[in-house]
Amino acid sequence: MATHKRTILLARAEAFAAKMSMRLPILLAPMAGACPPSLSIAVANAGGMGACGAVLMNPDSIEAWVAAFRQESNGPFQLNLWIPGPPPMRDPLASWGPPVRSEAAEAVLPDFEAQCQFLLSARPTAISSIMGLFSTPFVSEMKSRGISWLATTTTVAEARAPEAAGAEAIIAQGMEAGGHRGTFRAEDAEAQVVGLMALLPQVVDAVSIPVIATGGIADGRGVAAALILGASAVQIGTGFLRTPEAQIHPVWAQKLGQTEAHDTRITRAFSGRPGRSVSTRYVEAAAAPDAPPAAPYPHQRGFVRLMLQQATHTGDADRMQMWSGQSARLAQVQSAAAITRQLWQDALKFPS
Ligand SMILES: Cc1cc2nc3c(=O)[nH]c(=O)nc-3n(C[C@H](O)[C@H](O)[C@H](O)COP(=O)(O)O)c2cc1C
C-alpha cells in the first residue's frame, strides 16, 4: 500500500483512539456474562478500552464492576445496554433439563431506566447501545457529561439513524460476531445477515462519524483489514474469551479452540433473541425442523435457566451456553494484555 494511504488510515485510527483516551484503536467488546473487571483492566492497561455488558446487571452490580475496574485502571471503559424491545408474548417450550416451573417464563430483567440513570452517574468514557437507539433526552444527558455514545448497528440503514441522533461513533457488527446480533428488530436478525467485509465499507461511506468494526476480528490481519476498509478502530469479543482474565468455563474455553468457522450458528434457543453460538447438540436440536420455536425474549432465558445451571455445574458441553464468533479458532490462550499489544503490533505490519 502506498505510504500516504497508510499514513491516512493510521492517522484516522490514532485520532479516534486519542479522542477515546486509548493508546491503541482496540476495544474489548461488551459481553454480558463474560466480561469480569479483570478482562477490562488488562485491555485498558495495555492501551485499549475496557467494556462491561450490563444488560443483566442491576445498578448495584454495575457500581461494583466500575469500582473494581477503577481500583486497578484509570484507562477508558464503556458500559453497554440492550435497548428494550416490545413486550414479549409467551410460548412455553418442552424442557431440555430438569422440570421447569410455569413461573420460570417470568424472566425478570433489571429496570432499564434505573440502569440508564446509574450509567450517567458512573461517567464511563462511553455508553454503548445494541438493538436500538437511546432516547433523545438520554443522549443529551450523556453529552452534557462528556460521555460518548457508541451505537451498534448491523446494516447501513440502521447505521444512519444513530448518526442523526447524536452518536459519537457507529459500531458496525458483521454477522460473523459472537453473541447476540445487534439488529434493531429481532425479526430482521436472521434475514438481514450482512458480513463485515460488505458492511464496513458501506457504513463508512454512509456516515460521517467514526466507525468501529466488530465481528470475526481476532488477529492482526483482521485489524489491518478493518482499517483498510475505513474503520477507525476494532472491537473484539471472542478473540479475548480464551484469556485467563475472561474467566469463562474451561469447557467453553476449550471448545472455542476446536470451533471451526462453520461450527457456529445463529440461534434463539438461549434467550429468544438471535445470537451466534457454538453449534452444540442443544443448538442443533433446537434448529431441527420439528423443534418448537423459541419463546420470545426474555422468556426463553427463563425456560433454559435450569438446564444451563446444571450444564455449567457438570461441565456438559452439549447443553452449556457457549457464544462464539466465526473466528473462534484464532482466539489465543494468552494474557489479554499480550493479545491487545500483539494485535496492534501485527496490524502495523500489514498496511505497508
Ligand atoms: C459472550 C458474548 C456476550 C456478548 N454480549 C453482548 C452484550 O451484552 N452487548 C453487546 O452489545 N454485544 C454483546 N456481544 C457482542 C459483542 O459485543 C461483539 O459484537 C462481538 O463479540 C464481536 O464479534 P467477535 O466475537 O467475533 O469478536 C457479546 C458477544 C459474546 C461473544
Side-chain angles (χ1 to χ4, degrees), residues 220-280:
R221 291 169 293 186
V223 177
L227 296 191
I228 290 169
L229 292 177
S232 294
V234 299
Q235 183 169 273
I236 295 176
T238 306
F240 281 114
L241 283 180
R242 300 187 75 204
T243 64
E245 295 91 340
Q247 298 173 35
I248 64 170
H249 197 292
V251 170
W252 181 10
Q254 191 185 7
K255 187 74 180 175
L256 291 174
Q258 303 155 353
T259 298
E260 303 285 356
H262 63 274
D263 290 332
T264 68
R265 175 168 205 137
I266 295 173
T267 180
R268 294 175 180 242
F270 292 111
S271 71
R273 284 225 42 154
R276 187 172 292 283
S277 156
V278 173
S279 301
T280 62

Side-chain angles (χ1 to χ4, degrees), residues 13-14 16-27 47-49 76 233:
E14 281 161 14
F16 181 68
K19 199 164 181 190
M20 295 286 129
S21 309
M22 300 185 286
R23 300 194 303 281
L24 315 169
I26 295 173
L27 293 85
M49 185 187 287

Side-chain angles (χ1 to χ4, degrees), residues 104-169:
E106 302 300 334
V108 180
L109 293 170
D111 180 67
F112 181 65
E113 282 308 317
Q115 287 176 316
C116 285
Q117 288 314 310
F118 179 77
L119 262 50
L120 291 173
S121 70
R123 289 183 184 263
T125 317
I127 294 177
S128 64
S129 56
I130 184 164
M131 303 173 189
L133 304 177
F134 284 121
S135 69
T136 308
F138 185 70
V139 175
S140 307
E141 293 288 341
M142 257 193 261
K143 282 183 185 289
S144 70
R145 289 166 174 79
I147 303 168
S148 298
W149 172 23
L150 312 180
T152 308
T153 63
T154 61
T155 62
V156 171
E158 286 178 354
R160 288 199 178 100
E163 176 178 36
E168 187 76 39

